[in-house]
Amino acid sequence: MSSDSLLVANNLYYAYQEAGQSHTVIDDASIAINKGEWIALLGASGSGKSTLLNLLAGIDRANSGQVTIAGQQLSCLQEPQLTLFRRRHIGFIYQLFHLIPTLNVFENIALPLELCGVQLDQRLQQVSDWLSKIGLQSRAQAFPDQLSGGEQQRVAIARALIHQPMLVLADEPTGNLDAETGARILDLLTGLAEQNQQTLIMVTHSETVASRAHRVLEMHSGRLKTASKDLAW
């Protein structure tokens, strides 16, 4: 493990049982990702990309293999400790946003800080700063169903990054947006991650998105390999 490595996954294997049959989703996946690196993860639908993100975040547990983040083996943590580790050190951005519908924009963004025990006055200041960063100062009191898709994704990005996680995992964050809005969201996400020196792993189907990453990985039938940034699909 390099001293620059933030995340190391070794020989991950994950399968599920259905109708008495075992279905392999991740097959012997290994990777080392450096601090501040931006990885694009390509692959066809059903190739295991989202499952791999869930394993790296400790949301799902591999049948075998290890995930280590900043020297901490996730398999050594029991569920309460794993939840706390994830809450403090990992930000997750979903394609479908997953905002809490009963909370307004301000409250959605503030939630990670509240869960991490940040004092109220600090939460108010940090959320105000982030609303300015994502250009939604005037929408602070709006609820998710009152926002456009691009606005919802900006809120989701702020919520994922506000507690300054070491690792940001994004599952097709522009997949439900039109091309112009998606390009703006991509610029916002990558710019903020770089500004905060955060490691970013982004699942995408877009060659354009992948071409901007530091490194491109490809999932194929559960196997993980390095791909060329000019890979023709």
Side-chain angles (χ1 to χ4, degrees), residues 167-185:
L167 176 64
V168 179
L169 303 173
D171 195 353
E172 298 194 63
T174 62
N176 274 343
L177 305 174
D178 63 79
E180 182 179 349
T181 303
R184 291 200 301 269
I185 291 297

Side-chain angles (χ1 to χ4, degrees), residues 1 6-10 12 55-58 61 64-79 81-82 85 90 166:
M1 176 174 166
L6 175 75
L7 183 150
V8 177
N10 290 316
L12 296 181
L55 294 179
L56 297 180
R61 290 187 183 266
S64 61
Q66 294 285 350
V67 175
T68 302
I69 299 175
Q72 175 64 63
Q73 280 191 14
L74 299 192
S75 61
C76 294
L77 299 175
Q78 298 300 314
E79 195 55 45
Q81 291 96 356
L82 182 57
F85 183 89
I90 299 174
M166 299 182 291

Side-chain angles (χ1 to χ4, degrees), residues 30-31 215-219 224-229 231:
S30 296
I31 185 177
R215 187 157 46 114
V216 180
L217 300 175
E218 180 187 3
M219 291 293 297
L224 184 63
K225 65 179 183 180
T226 301
S228 169
K229 290 172 69 172
L231 181 68

